[in-house]
Amino acid sequence: MTSAVLGLPSPAAAADSLLDASTVTFGGTPDQKIFTTRKVHVPAGGGLGVYGKNTNSGFTTATRLTFRVYRDDGADVTNQFSVNFLNDGDVINQRVPVSAAHGYYIWAKCVLVIYNSFTDCDGTFTISSWG
């Protein structure tokens, strides 16, 4: 399966200095297991970054890492990003501008699409704050 890079960050989209980041890692993770990153604060005028990679590449299996991005007031802001799931080999690396200061975190889940008794999820998600 070929790897796709979705939503490359635009230099004009957000500021250039990394302020904070939080990462979760799927390593041999079973079906339906959920992870959440630590909340990162993004200042007004800063940028919210999401990086994710599904490192599975099975020939007879298929996995999906689904994710949502939430703001500290409970709002789901996932629609600001180009996708909300990563299939085997997919990558997201996207930064969006933030107009008002908030905290943000990623909720991510392993989903086995086509599997056998040895199938699990592997990959990572990072949420980052840029100023």
Side-chain angles (χ1 to χ4, degrees):
M1 177 168 284
T2 59
S3 178
V5 177
L6 307 169
L8 293 174
S10 159
D16 292 331
S17 299
L18 178 65
L19 302 175
D20 195 8
S22 177
T23 300
V24 293
T25 301
F26 291 83
T29 305
D31 189 33
Q32 303 301 307
K33 175 74 176 175
I34 296 170
F35 290 103
T36 58
T37 62
R38 174 179 53 80
K39 197 179 298 177
V40 298
H41 177 75
V42 181
L48 171 63
V50 169
Y51 171 84
K53 183 174 184 179
N54 183 337
T55 57
N56 277 15
S57 59
F59 292 107
T60 60
T61 63
T63 65
R64 178 173 290 159
L65 299 178
T66 62
F67 72 95
R68 309 298 297 172
V69 180
Y70 291 102
R71 199 167 56 201
D72 56 11
D73 62 2
D76 182 341
V77 298
T78 310
N79 64 353
Q80 294 182 40
F81 297 91
S82 57
V83 297
N84 66 351
F85 65 88
L86 302 176
N87 290 321
D88 291 355
D90 284 352
V91 173
I92 182 171
N93 186 15
Q94 190 175 355
R95 212 183 301 172
V96 297
V98 171
S99 58
H102 280 284
Y104 295 87
Y105 68 95
I106 295 174
W107 173 99
K109 180 168 76 170
C110 166
V111 178
L112 303 183
V113 180
I114 301 171
Y115 58 94
N116 58 43
S117 60
F118 302 107
T119 308
D120 52 35
C121 289
D122 297 295
T124 187
F125 280 101
T126 299
I127 192 159
S128 55
S129 170
W130 297 80

